[in-house]
Amino acid sequence: MQPVAMALAGISGRLIARTGLMSRMRPIANCVISNVPGPQVPLYFTGARMVATYGLGLPMEGIGLFHAVVSYNGAISVCVTSCRDQMPDPAFYADCIEASFRELREAAVAAQREAIVDQFLKTTDHISIEELLARVRRRHSRVGYATVYRTLKLLVASGLAIERHFGDGQTRFEVAGDHHDHLICTECG
């Protein structure tokens, strides 16, 4: 059934292009976004590892912008094809997409850091990175060890946290505030 539908779509596309029908009609859309999930494991061909995959969209009459979004092995590629009449500077558009992606990524990291700081400031004990990570992941499962580590280092540098070493090989952190003593038994540790 699907090959028949694709063949009909191709025939109708050629017919519309030959007759100039789109120039007499208002287009339904002028931008297409195609999302093609690819394999999330490396592929090989005669022993050579495929390093990336890219998509290509063809602008048609009335459709001047095509985004092909393709994933492969944990990476996503966004490939843009455009009509020069409708978008005279596609490189500027690509720069805008990259800047927007960086902004979204920074916002996601900021939200994770906010959750880490919030959870840390609620602690009343000496907490390790692993313990804080486990607590934060109860609400935000995508937070990583490195994000917790970096956030705690920023809190120490800003004076909001104190790094403690009690001789057991594990670094612990506490909220900076009122002074209190730390006593360690010399016999049992």
Side-chain angles (χ1 to χ4, degrees), residues 18-42:
R18 283 190 196 135
T19 61
L21 185 61
M22 286 304 290
S23 62
R24 290 182 245 144
M25 296 175 53
R26 183 179 213 159
I28 296 171
N30 60 5
C31 173
V32 173
I33 300 174
S34 174
N35 177 21
V36 181
Q40 297 306 305
V41 294

Side-chain angles (χ1 to χ4, degrees), residues 77-144:
S77 300
V78 179
C79 305
V80 178
T81 308
S82 66
C83 170
R84 285 274 185 186
D85 292 338
Q86 292 182 8
M87 184 180 292
D89 191 358
F92 174 72
Y93 182 70
D95 291 343
C96 289
I97 288 176
E98 285 184 37
S100 295
F101 178 74
R102 279 193 303 276
E103 188 177 315
L104 284 170
R105 185 175 210 157
E106 288 168 8
V109 169
Q112 290 179 352
R113 281 199 174 142
E114 186 176 321
I116 294 165
V117 170
D118 182 53
Q119 185 65 50
F120 176 71
L121 293 176
K122 289 178 183 175
T123 61
T124 57
D125 52 345
H126 304 101
I127 192 166
S128 69
I129 295 172
E130 293 81 4
E131 292 165 340
L132 182 57
L133 176 62
R135 291 180 191 180
V136 172
R137 279 189 174 167
R138 290 181 198 145
R139 289 185 4 225
H140 301 277
S141 61
R142 296 182 60 104
V143 173

